[in-house]
Amino acid sequence: MQTNQSSYGTREHLRLILRQVPGTVWATDRDLRFTYVRGQTLAGLGKTERLVGRTVGDVVRSEDPTEPAIAHHLAALAGGRQSFPYFHSGQWYDVQVEPLRDDSGAIIGCVGAAINVTDRRNTLDRLARSEARLAEAQRLAHVGSFEWSADDDLVTWSDELRSIYGIQPGEAGGTLDAFLSRVHDDDESDVRSVMLDVWHRPKAFSYEHRIVRPDGDIRWLHTAGDVVCNGTGTAQRVVGSCWDITTQHQTMEKLRQSVSLLEATLDSTADGILVVDREGHVATYNQRFLTLWRIPPSLAARRDDHALLSLVANQLEEPQVFLEGVRDLYAAREQKSLDVLQFNDGRVFERYSMPQLVDGEAVGRVWSFRDVTQREALLQRASFLSNATRLLSCLDLNKALDTVAHLAVPYLGESCGITLIGDPQSGPPTVNVTAGEDRQPLEIHPRTLAGHSIIYSRGPRSSMAVPLTSRNTIVGAIITVAPPKRRYTMADLELLEELGRRVALCVDNARLYEGAQEALKGRDQFLSIAAHEIRGPLTSIHLAVQGLLRGSLSPAGAHTALEVIEREDRRLGGFVDDLLDLGRISTGQLHFDLEEVDLGTVVRDAVSRLTGTLAPTGSVTITTGGNLVGQWDRARLDQVVTNLVSNAIKYGEGKPIEITASETDGHVVLKVSDHGMGIDPSMRSKIFDAFQRAAGAKRYGGLGLGLHIAKTIVNGFGGTIAVDGSPDAGSTFTVDLPVSRSANHAQPTHHGGG
Amino acid sequence: MHSRPIMVVDDDDDVRNMLCAVLAAEGYPVVGAADGVEALTRMRHDPPALAVVDMMMPRMDGEELIRAMAQDAALVRVPVAIMSGQTSPSTVSALLPRVSARLVKPFELDELLTLVHRFADPPARPGDSPQFLRET
């Protein structure tokens, strides 16, 4: 190239300019020898000016015409404009090579320019890698993203977003409408208004909405995003990330339902529930818990655990024990417990406690409380009645009643008394037991004696009394007195009545047993008496027969023997008849053959028959008057008369006997009086019982059945028999008989001499 | 020699009469009494060789009679045989020192005769001089 002074200035100017160019320019000749190089140093090629004179091939160290730099230069020499990237010594260049033409247009070489685009390329690489990583991250996390610019209404979708929406690349519409069309109808307007709102008032946002995938599947998405603004705060684009929260949403839904169910359960259960954390701080509780423990809502709201615990403990009988127990349970995290809590006011709670476990670890404790006061009261009541019944099974009446009265203290009251009234005629109560504070016997309220269960005041104390009824008769009462401050209720009275029924049953049993024992004793006594009485006749008969068989008896003796045999034989026969009569009476088979009988005749016959046995100084006076004829069984009437007269003889001590028979108003009255040992007034009714004998039963022989049979016969005739007199002054037996039963005005038979 | 009688004490007439008859038939002199009082009176008058006593009698029963006899110097040595059906063993053993034998009614005639033979003076021959005293 020609150089001269003016072109030097131009070159210099050009050099300055070229030095500013972020690149390198060169020219080559047709041999690809650099003729001119200016600009930035090309990496690994040394100072640019030094390249002049060297060929492209030198520079790239290759003679291969296919080597890209050489190839492009050759192509440029051939007339084509070249634009290509070139990598050399770790740097990237964008290269342009053009043919260099002279003025005639002939190609005389090349002109080239290279710009180092390494940074830009790296940046682009990084960007590409970033984008790839982002896409990968989005794919792995299933997070999709979008950008929307309102200015050109363009929405760009990330691959993952499309995947979430279930659409293929190309299916996603680019407009906001298209974007929103995939949003569930119910949520579309909300999403749209958010988008428009943040465009106009740029801020970060997030929302949840449903989308409808092409296959109809509805998914829940969470979108979070922000607005990119330019320097003046004008929105340029909205960027957002979305992820599918359908599963979480469902889980949340289930959780919400669970919580709702749990809350409903907690509130509907009859138990009070309290949940505390590991340190004992209140986590949650239900309304019933507050009600049970009478915790004011204000205290509960304060969440003051200490105050709460105090309020609770102070209601109990043993607050210290309770508090210690609570501490122990907090210390023993895994432990369950079941306890009973006794309150000062008498309530009883059951408390169940167990740890709250999450993945096997105790994170807190659940307490559940149940008011079992009523249940306990019922159990106690049942237990009391059961114990009472057991004690009442004892046949020793005094002992049974005494133990029951003691059992009732203090459960039923401070004092308890059981009284059995005896026969009102014979005086004081037969049994009277008292247990408890009151040492004196508790008198029975008149209303109770009249048959009423009552609650009443005994001075300052509440008291209740229940009659004891056995076979429609009031046989006594049971009374309790409450301690100070307790007032009896209907429930208490009902319990006492229940106890009273059982006590009455016990009394009944004891009396029946006593009666049975008495009867057995009487029977045993009778049997021994009968056996004894029979020995007499047997002894006589035995001696008589053996004496006769021996043959040594004198004629008088033999005669005696035969008389004895006959007499004793009859006596034995009499015993048998008495026993048979007794049998008939007890089985109700005593029959009468009624006929017209004159009582006077019967009396005289009986007396004359019996007179042979009279003691020497004795005498019998018979006085009869009136019409003594009636409808009776002759033999049985005779039996009665004979029995009375022989008794008079037996017990008359030889003194005179008077017999009178008279008639009044359809009745005959027979009186047999003796002046012998008499009968004790207390025995007057008893002597008509079977096996009963008057004083000194051992000494007088006989079976003791005569009067009993006589009375049965007399009653059978519709009449009455009674005795009066006094000890040592003798007895008078009076028999009153209706002349005939049909003419008889109803005569009630009653015990004790009728 | 005066033969001491056998005393028979029983309130049952037939038993007493039969005892007297069979003993008399064996030749023993016999006296009867209907109760303890009568027996004591007769015994004091004529102490018997043996008293055959029924336990159950009015006015004074067998037990009381035996005790009374024990108090009486004249009667303390009189052997006593008791007739019983029902006397309790305790009563019997209480009286034991004074009771020489026990007959349980109804007893065999041989039993009675063996007993009497042991204690009583030998009898006159039957029919010789009956000293059978019938109780009035």
Side-chain angles (χ1 to χ4, degrees):
Chain A
M1 265 211 178
Q2 289 173 318
T3 56
N4 57 24
Q5 224 26 50
S6 61
S7 58
Y8 180 81
T10 311
R11 280 209 302 276
E12 211 37 51
H13 197 69
L14 186 62
R15 193 157 50 81
L16 276 171
I17 292 168
L18 288 177
R19 209 186 280 152
Q20 309 301 326
V21 170
T24 314
V25 296
W26 64 87
T28 71
D29 61 16
R30 291 193 64 87
D31 294 328
L32 296 187
R33 195 174 299 277
F34 285 106
T35 55
Y36 177 82
V37 185
R38 281 290 182 273
Q40 293 188 339
T41 310
L42 295 167
L45 298 184
K47 280 178 108 58
T48 1
E49 291 78 5
R50 294 253 174 81
L51 293 175
V52 175
R54 293 169 68 190
T55 67
V56 173
D58 287 340
V59 166
V60 301
R61 301 215 175 121
S62 166
E63 293 303 325
D64 182 4
T66 63
E67 198 280 336
I70 297 173
H72 284 295
H73 277 87
L74 289 174
L77 281 177
R81 296 177 71 167
Q82 307 293 302
S83 177
F84 61 94
Y86 192 74
F87 183 72
H88 187 80
S89 296
Q91 299 290 307
W92 278 97
Y93 302 94
D94 272 353
V95 184
Q96 302 240 56
V97 182
E98 287 188 15
L100 178 64
R101 296 176 192 273
D102 63 13
D103 294 330
S104 62
I107 297 173
I108 57 170
C110 300
V111 160
I115 306 231
N116 189 326
V117 294
T118 310
D119 284 344
R120 196 184 80 199
R121 209 181 169 110
N122 285 344
T123 304
L124 285 175
D125 266 353
R126 275 201 299 279
L127 188 61
R129 275 200 295 277
S130 263
E131 283 184 358
R133 273 202 291 276
L134 178 63
E136 182 69 13
Q138 286 197 348
R139 190 179 63 75
L140 288 174
H142 300 297
V143 174
S145 55
F146 66 91
E147 282 186 11
W148 170 58
S149 162
D151 292 335
D152 46 12
D153 194 20
L154 180 69
V155 177
T156 38
W157 297 60
S158 75
D159 291 341
E160 190 52 33
L161 188 65
R162 274 195 288 272
S163 172
I164 288 172
Y165 273 68
I167 56 183
Q168 302 300 323
E171 275 181 17
T175 64
L176 183 65
D177 283 342
F179 182 71
L180 292 176
S181 70
R182 299 195 182 271
V183 172
H184 193 280
D185 290 344
D186 295 344
D187 299 332
E188 200 213 314
S189 58
D190 290 334
V191 173
R192 185 188 290 274
S193 42
V194 168
M195 296 296 249
L196 292 174
D197 183 52
V198 302
W199 183 263
H200 291 109
R201 284 189 286 270
K203 60 175 186 281
F205 60 91
S206 73
Y207 54 86
E208 289 176 6
H209 65 102
R210 283 160 290 178
I211 58 162
V212 183
R213 290 165 67 141
D215 58 8
D217 197 13
I218 298 176
R219 315 289 294 176
W220 274 93
L221 299 192
H222 180 96
T223 302
D226 206 339
V227 184
V228 177
C229 302
N230 66 7
T232 62
T234 313
Q236 299 209 295
R237 37 179 218 288
V238 177
V239 296
S241 293
C242 312
W243 55 93
D244 188 324
I245 56 162
T246 311
T247 318
Q248 292 93 301
H249 202 270
Q250 282 165 352
T251 307
M252 277 307 296
E253 216 19 69
K254 274 193 205 138
L255 188 61
R256 260 194 291 276
Q257 278 174 7
S258 281
V259 169
S260 165
L261 179 63
L262 181 65
E263 282 172 351
T265 308
L266 273 186
D267 277 318
S268 68
T269 178
D271 295 342
I273 314 269
L274 172 71
V275 183
V276 297
D277 68 14
R278 263 201 283 250
E279 280 73 47
H281 301 305
V282 172
T284 189
Y285 50 83
N286 65 356
Q287 187 59 39
R288 180 88 179 126
F289 169 74
L290 297 183
T291 317
L292 275 178
W293 285 101
R294 300 177 184 165
I295 299 169
S298 52
L299 176 59
R302 259 167 44 202
R303 297 265 170 182
D304 179 350
D305 301 318
H306 192 72
L308 201 61
L309 201 57
S310 278
L311 177 73
V312 158
N314 286 333
Q315 294 179 42
L316 299 176
E317 269 184 357
E318 295 185 308
Q320 282 315 309
V321 174
F322 170 76
L323 289 171
E324 275 167 28
V326 167
R327 270 197 287 279
D328 289 345
L329 278 169
Y330 283 138
R333 298 235 177 98
E334 313 284 310
Q335 207 175 329
K336 297 186 189 177
S337 78
L338 177 60
D339 297 282
V340 174
L341 306 176
Q342 304 279 353
F343 282 63
N344 287 328
D345 65 0
R347 282 182 298 158
V348 182
F349 281 12
E350 244 179 22
R351 178 189 70 181
Y352 184 64
S353 172
M354 59 183 285
Q356 182 194 358
L357 297 174
V358 173
D359 291 333
E361 198 203 327
V363 301
R365 187 165 273 281
V366 180
W367 303 90
S368 125
F369 301 91
R370 179 173 298 178
D371 188 336
V372 295
T373 311
Q374 231 186 351
R375 186 192 79 186
E376 286 302 307
L378 281 173
L379 280 174
Q380 267 199 310
R381 182 193 145 114
S383 166
F384 171 74
L385 284 174
S386 161
N387 281 330
T389 306
R390 185 175 46 82
L391 292 172
L392 290 169
S393 66
C394 171
L395 285 166
D396 177 338
L397 194 55
N398 263 292
K399 181 168 169 213
L401 298 186
D402 194 58
T403 50
V404 167
H406 280 87
L407 182 73
V409 174
Y411 180 62
L412 284 183
E414 205 178 58
S415 312
C416 175
I418 306 179
T419 303
L420 296 184
I421 52 180
D423 184 347
Q425 291 167 332
S426 49
T430 56
V431 174
N432 200 303
V433 296
T434 320
E437 296 300 318
D438 265 318
R439 288 285 154 228
Q440 280 97 16
L442 302 168
E443 352 62 69
I444 311 175
H445 196 286
R447 271 178 59 75
T448 305
L449 279 178
H452 298 99
S453 302
I454 52 174
I455 300 175
Y456 61 103
S457 297
R458 186 182 278 270
R461 303 289 191 85
S462 180
S463 183
M464 53 181 180
V466 156
L468 298 172
T469 314
S470 166
R471 298 156 194 269
N472 294 320
T473 326
I474 294 177
V475 298
I478 174 168
I479 302 136
T480 67
V481 179
K485 303 214 183 129
R486 178 175 170 185
R487 306 227 84 65
Y488 284 126
T489 63
M490 276 315 290
D492 293 324
L493 191 62
E494 275 165 19
L495 181 57
L496 192 63
E497 280 182 324
E498 182 58 42
L499 182 63
R501 278 190 280 276
R502 293 168 194 227
V503 169
L505 207 69
C506 165
V507 170
D508 219 25
N509 274 353
R511 293 206 166 143
L512 283 172
Y513 180 71
E514 251 174 57
Q517 294 293 90
E518 285 284 321
L520 279 173
K521 212 166 78 171
R523 190 195 67 182
D524 288 345
Q525 201 183 28
F526 163 72
L527 285 175
S528 70
I529 290 166
H532 175 74
E533 293 305 318
I534 287 170
R535 282 179 210 275
L538 287 182
T539 305
S540 310
I541 291 171
H542 210 60
L543 287 171
V545 166
Q546 291 193 333
L548 285 169
L549 286 174
R550 211 172 155 84
S552 53
L553 288 174
S554 67
H559 188 73
T560 304
L562 290 169
E563 279 182 333
V564 160
I565 289 169
E566 203 205 11
R567 198 165 33 244
E568 294 301 331
D569 172 62
R570 275 191 211 286
R571 221 211 288 185
L572 283 174
F575 284 170
V576 169
D577 286 338
D578 277 355
L579 285 172
L580 286 175
D581 275 349
L582 184 68
R584 283 191 203 107
I585 288 169
S586 58
T587 57
Q589 287 172 6
L590 200 63
H591 293 305
F592 298 138
D593 285 323
L594 299 179
E595 55 175 315
E596 287 228 329
V597 180
D598 186 324
L599 178 62
T601 313
V602 170
V603 169
R604 274 182 281 273
D605 287 347
V607 169
S608 78
R609 222 183 320 117
L610 290 167
T611 318
T613 62
L614 282 176
T617 54
S619 70
V620 181
T621 317
I622 303 172
T623 314
T624 60
N627 179 5
L628 301 174
V629 175
Q631 288 277 324
W632 302 302
D633 182 311
R634 183 183 301 274
R636 293 297 183 183
L637 186 62
D638 181 80
Q639 198 174 356
V640 172
V641 174
T642 303
N643 177 261
L644 293 176
V645 175
S646 73
N647 278 347
I649 293 168
K650 217 191 292 190
Y651 299 102
E653 293 173 354
K655 302 198 182 109
I657 294 166
E658 295 94 36
I659 304 172
T660 65
S662 56
E663 172 254 335
T664 58
D665 195 28
H667 287 243
V668 299
V669 177
L670 170 70
K671 288 188 197 273
V672 177
S673 302
D674 69 75
H675 299 279
M677 49 186 296
I679 296 165
D680 189 274
S682 66
M683 290 298 291
R684 278 196 200 137
S685 51
K686 284 208 169 161
I687 57 170
F688 293 103
D689 292 341
F691 315 134
Q692 291 292 337
R693 294 118 75 86
K698 288 190 280 191
R699 300 183 177 192
Y700 283 94
L703 288 178
L705 292 175
L707 279 175
H708 177 71
I709 294 170
K711 173 168 177 274
T712 309
I713 292 167
V714 167
N715 289 154
F717 289 153
T720 61
I721 182 168
V723 64
D724 65 52
S726 45
D728 301 325
S731 314
T732 299
F733 282 81
T734 306
V735 176
D736 183 316
L737 293 175
V739 160
S740 73
R741 279 218 81 155
S742 52
N744 184 25
H745 305 290
Q747 295 254 4
T749 54
H750 41 86
H751 300 292
Chain B
M1 185 178 85
H2 168 67
S3 228
R4 290 171 302 165
I6 313 290
M7 161 129 309
V8 173
V9 189
D10 196 325
D11 63 321
D12 188 322
D13 298 340
D14 286 340
V15 169
R16 190 178 62 251
N17 291 340
M18 273 325 300
L19 280 170
C20 293
V22 299
L23 288 174
E26 298 302 313
Y28 293 103
V30 139
V31 175
D35 60 43
V37 174
E38 195 186 337
L40 268 180
T41 312
R42 289 180 189 267
M43 280 198 273
R44 281 171 181 146
H45 178 69
D46 187 2
L50 168 69
V52 181
V53 177
D54 181 43
M55 294 303 285
M56 308 251 185
M57 297 180 292
R59 284 209 294 173
M60 183 192 284
D61 67 14
E63 185 183 345
E64 287 164 355
L65 173 60
I66 291 166
R67 289 189 200 283
M69 285 169 69
Q71 307 293 338
D72 189 325
L75 304 175
V76 69
R77 285 194 210 289
V78 175
V80 173
I82 58 174
M83 294 186 286
S84 73
Q86 208 170 304
T87 308
S88 71
S90 56
T91 314
V92 172
S93 33
L95 297 171
L96 219 43
R98 293 288 310 125
V99 170
S100 307
R102 184 179 175 199
L103 295 165
V104 179
K105 289 180 174 181
F107 46 83
E108 302 297 315
L109 181 55
D110 281 340
E111 243 186 284
L112 174 71
L113 294 178
T114 309
L115 167 70
V116 167
H117 184 72
R118 203 162 101 216
F119 289 104
D121 304 329
R125 277 202 315 285
D128 269 3
S129 45
Q131 290 189 31
F132 169 46
L133 290 170
R134 189 189 288 271
E135 180 266 332
T136 50

